[in-house]
Structure formats: structure tokens, C-alpha cells
């Protein structure tokens, strides 16, 4: 274990310090310090500089992310000193407030203590904001993707409201202790009501979505060290909401209702009613976020930004890795350059990794 950590640490330090224009002497001195820490404790601790740059590199190496042009703008909040569930919750509230930034979304990550020995922090929620999914005799009310966590929260005493857009509490676990539940303060909740610029009936659907997608259940791995609680966010690409969260059959499944209200022939695939409804749904999402003053990007602009990222990396001499199936947008993928080229899906570190769900 310690040997593997040392190998990963050396790879990271040499790569990181080289990019930061550190001297060979500084690299060797730092590696000697790390080796001493690992020998004595079985692990080492990152400096603030290493943590900050490592988190940024993890975003740059994220094969599934189309928004990597802005990797170096990530703001890193160091909360490794936090020890209690209440302190974690307070830090998460600060993250929400700072990332939301009155609608001008800021890329942000909050990093809690590293996993070692029996110490760890876990946030059970997939994202800090996530709507409940209630299993009823008449079907699921809310987000079907959240039914398991919703059931857990109810069993722990959380009171269900049985609405379509009820935000779940944050579920925070320290070590192997029983998790604690915390409701997000109302003043921190920034949601966007979804309207359509041309269809007045769209407002009657009473759709809404939260402003900031803060991923909270992944591990940040830097130089052999794992941070099991490191929630991070960019801003939404419109299709994430319009073509997935609202449109997927296993999510809110809104296309049949929208297609019907548009007067489309929903009984024939040849009418392309799903395609027409999907485009209008995405127009509604983009228009609503823009009119609410909340940062969002359409998939064509995002693809152009990714092309700039590729060009920048190529000039520096770095190869861009990517997962093609995730990089292509779910709407009109063939209209983007990404669709027409292959990507090497090799995993580089630092990076973000999925964890086994605790529930």
C-alpha cells in the first residue's frame, strides 16, 4: 500500500512541479519529504499548492467532461481540517453560496480530509441539489433516479412532501458513524422556473430545475491520496437538463406530454415527434436560465469550447483523452466536430472516480 502511494506520489509531483516550473532540486526535496512521511505514517499530506493544482488537473483529465477549457479557473477550497458533520454541512453551504454567485456560476471544489486508516468523510447525495423520488401505488412522484436515497431519508425521519421537485436533505457520514441529515437552507436554494418563449402553455407544466450541478459522490484522487468527499461544480450544459433530466423515460419523461401539447402525432415514429418536442424542451431550458440570469451553455457552444481546449493542449504538446460516448451531446451530436473524430479513453491521474454507493 505505502509502496503504491509512493509510486503515485512521485508521478504526480514530477508532473505537477514540472508544469509549475519548479526546479529539479525542489522536486527532489519534496519527494524526500513525502518518502519520510509515508515511511512514518503510511501516507503523506499535500501542500495547498499541490492540492489546488491536483484538483485542477483532475478536471483537465476528466474524459467525460466537455467543459475542460476552463479547468485552470477552478477555485479550490481547502477544508481538510473539518472534523464534524456540522462543520462539513457549514462548508457545503458556503460552497453552494459561492458557486451560485447570484446566478453567475463559478467553477468550485471543496476538498475535505483525505481517506486514511479509519478516517473518511462521505456525502451520500449524488449532487448537493437533487430532487426526491417517492414510490407510490400510482407510480413515482418526482425524480425516479432518487428513490433509494429518498426511502433512506424517510426511514431516518425526514418528512416527505410528495411534490415533484422536493430537494433532498444532505446526508453526511463521518468514518463509519451513522450519517446525519441536514436540510439545505431556503435562502441558498436557487431554482429556475422553466418557460418557453413561444408556447405560453409551457409554464403550466410547472417545471423547474436547480441552478448549480454540484457533484458530491465522487472520489478525487491525487498522487495516490484519495479524497472521498470533494464536491465540485461547473455550470450546466442545457442538454443535461433538457435532453436527460426532463426527457429520459427513466427520469421525468416529459416528451409525451410536450409532444401532445404541441399537437404532434405521438403515435407515429415517422412524425419525429420526439425530436421536435426535445428541441423545444431544450429551447425552453436555455431561454429560462438566460432570462433568470443563471449561467448555462448550449451544446454547440460547449463543443466549440472543447475544440479550443483541444487546440490549446495540442500547442503545449499534451494529448487530449476523452470518452466519445459522453463527449458527444445527446441532441444533434453529428453537428459537432466531436462526433467525427476518435478519442483515446485512457485514464490519466489526477482524476475523479466513482465510489460504491453506501445505500
Amino acid at each position: 500500500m505505502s509502496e503504491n502511494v509512493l509510486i503515485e506520489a512521485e508521478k504526480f509531483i514530477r508532473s505537477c512541479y514540472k508544469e509549475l516550473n519548479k526546479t529539479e532540486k525542489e522536486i527532489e526535496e519534496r519527494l524526500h519529504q513525502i518518502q519520510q512521511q509515508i515511511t512514518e505514517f503510511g501516507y503523506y499530506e499535500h501542500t495547498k499548492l499541490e492540492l489546488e493544482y491536483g484538483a485542477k488537473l483532475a478536471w483537465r483529465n476528466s474524459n467525460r467532461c466537455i467543459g475542460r477549457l476552463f479547468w485552470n479557473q477552478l477555485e479550490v477550497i481547502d477544508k481538510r481540517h473539518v472534523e464534524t458533520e456540522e462543520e462539513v454541512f457549514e462548508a457545503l453551504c458556503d460552497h453552494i453560496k459561492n458557486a451560485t454567485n447570484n446566478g453567475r456560476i463559478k467553477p468550485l471544489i471543496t476538498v475535505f480530509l483525505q481517506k486514511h486508516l479509519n478516517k473518511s468523510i462521505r456525502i451520500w447525495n449524488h449532487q448537493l441539489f437533487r430532487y426526491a423520488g417517492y414510490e407510490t401505488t400510482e407510480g413515482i412522484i418526482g425524480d425516479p433516479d432518487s428513490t433509494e436515497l429518498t426511502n433512506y431519508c424517510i426511514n431516518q425521519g425526514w418528512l416527505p412532501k410528495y411534490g415533484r421537485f422536493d430537494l433532498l436533505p444532505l446526508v453526511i457520514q463521518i468514518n463509519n458513524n451513522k450519517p446525519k441529515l441536514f436540510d439545505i437552507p431556503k435562502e441558498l436554494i436557487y431554482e429556475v422556473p422553466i418557460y418557453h418563449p413561444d408556447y405560453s402553455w409551457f409554464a403550466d407544466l410547472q417545471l423547474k430545475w436547480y441552478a448549480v450541478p454540484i457533484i458530491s459522490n465522487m472520489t478525487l484522487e491525487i498522487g495516490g491520496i484519495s479524497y472521498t468527499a470533494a464536491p465540485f461544480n461547473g455550470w450546466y450544459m442545457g442538454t443535461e437538463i433538457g435532453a436527460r433530466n426532463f426527457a429520459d423515460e427513466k427520469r421525468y419523461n416529459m416528451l409525451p406530454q410536450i409532444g401532445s401539447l404541441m399537437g404532434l402525432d405521438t403515435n407515429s415514429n415517422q412524425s419525429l415527434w420526439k425530436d421536435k418536442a426535445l428541441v423545444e424542451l431544450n429551447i425552453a431550458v436555455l431561454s429560462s436560465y438566460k432570462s433568470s440570469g443563471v449561467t448555462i451553455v448550449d451544446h454547440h457552444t460547449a463543443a466549440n469550447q472543447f475544440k479550443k481546449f483541444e487546440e490549446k493542449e495540442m500547442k503545449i504538446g499534451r494529448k487530449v483523452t476523452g470518452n466519445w460516448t459522453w463527449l458527444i451531446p445527446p441532441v444533434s451530436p453529428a453537428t459537432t466536430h466531436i462526433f467525427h473524430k476518435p478519442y483515446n479513453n485512457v485514464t490519466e491521474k489526477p482524476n475523479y472516480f466513482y465510489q460504491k454507493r453506501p445505500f
Side-chain angles (χ1 to χ4, degrees), residues 317-337:
R318 291 194 293 255
K319 294 181 179 179
V320 174
T321 59
N323 186 327
W324 184 88
T325 59
W326 276 73
L327 291 175
I328 58 170
V331 176
S332 306
T335 64
T336 70
H337 79 284

Side-chain angles (χ1 to χ4, degrees), residues 16-17 32 40 49 61 63 81 84 96 102 137 143 163 176 180 187 208 217 266 277 289 293 324-325 344 353-354 357:
C16 172
Y17 276 43
H32 180 67
E40 185 173 354
L49 178 67
N61 290 333
N63 287 0
H81 60 282
T84 68
I96 291 170
N102 294 317
T137 55
D143 192 343
N176 292 317
K180 292 185 179 181
E187 63 269 19
K208 64 178 177 178
N217 67 341
T266 59
Y289 271 66
W324 184 88
T325 59
N344 186 357
F353 296 95
Y354 289 102
R357 292 202 308 177

